Amino acid sequence: MTSSIGDQKAVSCPLMAKPHRQRLVNKDGRSLMQGSAPGYRETWFGALRDMWGTWLALRWRWVVLAFCGSFLLHWLLFAVLWYLLARVNGDLDVPNHDSPPPGHVLCVKHVTGFSAAFSFALETQLTIGYGTMYPNADCPTAIALLALQMLLGLMLEAFITGAFVAKFSRPQKRCGGILFSPQAVVCEVRGRRCLMFRVCNLLPRPLVDVYVSAVLYEERGDHELHQTAMEFSVDNLGSRPCPLFLSPLTFFHPLTPSSPLNNTPTNQSHFELVVFLTASQESTGSGYHKRTSYLPDEIQYGSCFTRVTSLHGKGRNKTESMRYFDTQPCSLTLPNTHTTDTLEKEHVVVQINGEGSDRVE
């Protein structure tokens, strides 16, 4: 019976259920949650309606395969059309294209088979110059088919070129040099208990207008996913963005009585803190977006980050920069606001003969 109850609880809480705990966001920022899966036809129709978004969402291996396949299909299609034109016009029955029969107008010189038609379609699309094969100006059908192939070919090249540029310039792909600390810490800062994490910039250029936001995702007793916004700041900037991102930045969130983490029950461990960072490049204004998440077991209580020191020219790679995320133990002398509030609510004063000296827990 105990096993069945445990299995039922794991099914009812699929988000953070142990031991197979599923994250919303991976540590490198990739989303791990899938929406409701529609039918097969609806999936394909949705992909066709949003072809640009589907293309950008593909992995590079599929993009290169689609790039090569689209051009091959385009050349194959027009090779078939040029071959059919030569057959309908009777060019395939002419033994010598250099001296055609009187009254016969060749549409394309020296297209005597399908391989020649494919070669002609390739030369037309790549504009590498005609040799012995070239379209005849006296054949209107050949000129019309030539114009159609060039127009469709230019559209295909423009789409693929734009998609390649868009994939290279995606904000997520430019953020490989922005690292989040693998662990968050809880320590005391200026007389307040704070939740803190650190961000390091390995990019060879500074970033400006760095803004961090966070959302606390909780799976409560009603088996629904609740979202609560949390504010993080650097030093005394408050909600304003950090003007310059050079050295590692430490963001903190005070654990005040109004903090969402203090409103979470003490026995509640099914939550995930997702952090979003946005910044822009000073020279070009390009946007940078990076995110990560922290689970309850990735938050170290009674620890703080070590002091940020120069690595003397090092630290421009990921291995050396991980030293910025080293932690050290620190004492928590201030009382936990949530624990204090909870204990006060659990104590009841019993008055005997008008004296309230006895306290019952």
Side-chain angles (χ1 to χ4, degrees):
M1 182 179 297
T2 304
S3 177
S4 62
I5 294 176
D7 295 341
Q8 183 178 2
K9 183 178 180 181
V11 174
S12 64
C13 298
L15 178 62
M16 304 291 180
K18 292 181 179 181
H20 302 289
R21 176 176 293 173
Q22 183 179 0
R23 309 179 69 111
L24 290 173
V25 177
N26 204 350
K27 295 297 288 183
D28 59 1
R30 291 183 293 111
S31 177
L32 300 180
M33 297 299 293
Q34 301 291 336
S36 57
Y40 182 79
R41 291 176 57 85
E42 295 179 0
T43 303
W44 276 102
F45 288 157
L48 291 177
R49 285 194 297 267
D50 188 19
M51 187 177 298
W52 182 257
T54 303
W55 178 275
L56 295 182
L58 290 176
R59 302 181 68 89
W60 272 108
R61 63 175 69 95
W62 301 113
V63 171
V64 174
L65 180 62
F67 171 81
C68 299
S70 59
F71 276 105
L72 287 176
L73 289 176
H74 184 264
W75 297 335
L76 183 62
L77 171 63
F78 281 93
V80 172
L81 295 179
W82 287 114
Y83 179 80
L84 291 177
L85 177 62
R87 175 169 292 278
V88 170
N89 195 53
D91 297 344
L92 300 180
D93 299 330
V94 178
N96 188 3
H97 279 209
D98 291 329
S99 56
H104 182 80
V105 178
L106 296 173
C107 286
V108 181
K109 279 287 190 81
H110 298 286
V111 174
T112 57
F114 183 78
S115 59
F118 184 84
S119 178
F120 179 76
L122 185 66
E123 293 178 5
T124 301
Q125 178 62 37
L126 299 180
T127 63
I128 57 179
Y130 294 122
T132 57
M133 292 183 295
Y134 58 91
N136 192 349
D138 295 331
C139 181
T141 307
I143 301 301
L145 185 58
L146 179 66
L148 179 62
Q149 181 179 357
M150 293 301 299
L151 287 175
L152 294 181
L154 290 175
M155 293 173 59
L156 180 62
E157 291 177 0
F159 178 84
I160 292 180
T161 302
F164 265 79
V165 173
K167 283 189 69 67
F168 276 116
S169 60
R170 283 188 300 173
Q172 298 90 336
K173 298 302 180 182
R174 294 196 298 265
C175 296
I178 300 178
L179 302 180
F180 285 93
S181 59
Q183 301 284 337
V185 299
V186 175
C187 61
E188 295 177 1
V189 179
R190 293 190 293 271
R192 294 184 300 178
R193 184 173 293 190
C194 299
L195 172 67
M196 306 170 63
F197 65 89
R198 183 168 285 179
V199 188
C200 181
N201 180 19
L202 299 185
L203 300 175
R205 50 194 174 275
L207 300 179
V208 297
D209 297 334
V210 183
Y211 179 75
V212 164
S213 59
V215 177
L216 182 68
Y217 293 90
E218 304 173 69
E219 191 173 16
R220 300 176 182 172
D222 54 2
H223 310 318
E224 293 184 0
L225 191 62
H226 296 262
Q227 307 178 35
T228 308
M230 294 182 58
E231 293 185 358
F232 282 83
S233 60
V234 179
D235 296 332
N236 294 321
L237 291 178
S239 59
R240 290 176 296 181
C242 181
L244 193 61
F245 191 2
L246 284 176
S247 61
L249 299 177
T250 303
F251 293 86
F252 67 92
H253 167 77
L255 296 178
T256 59
S258 61
S259 173
L261 288 178
N262 276 337
N263 295 330
T264 303
T266 54
N267 60 353
Q268 175 63 269
S269 61
H270 305 299
F271 72 87
E272 180 174 350
L273 178 63
V274 182
V275 180
F276 306 86
L277 182 144
T278 59
S280 59
Q281 186 177 342
E282 186 176 15
S283 58
T284 62
S286 302
Y288 289 77
H289 303 280
K290 190 70 180 277
R291 64 189 175 192
T292 190
S293 70
Y294 296 100
L295 295 179
D297 54 1
E298 295 171 348
I299 300 177
Q300 298 180 358
Y301 288 84
S303 299
C304 61
F305 292 109
T306 57
R307 187 181 300 273
V308 177
T309 58
S310 174
L311 296 180
H312 303 290
K314 298 181 181 180
R316 305 309 298 178
N317 57 75
K318 185 175 182 179
T319 303
E320 290 291 338
S321 295
M322 293 303 292
R323 293 172 54 185
Y324 288 131
F325 304 140
D326 292 341
T327 59
Q328 60 185 10
C330 66
S331 59
L332 296 177
T333 59
L334 295 175
N336 189 343
T337 55
H338 174 74
T339 304
T340 304
D341 295 341
T342 304
L343 292 178
E344 289 179 355
K345 293 178 181 179
E346 292 179 352
H347 287 79
V348 180
V349 177
V350 180
Q351 294 184 353
I352 301 177
N353 296 329
E355 295 180 1
S357 59
D358 295 335
R359 182 179 296 269
V360 179
E361 296 185 5

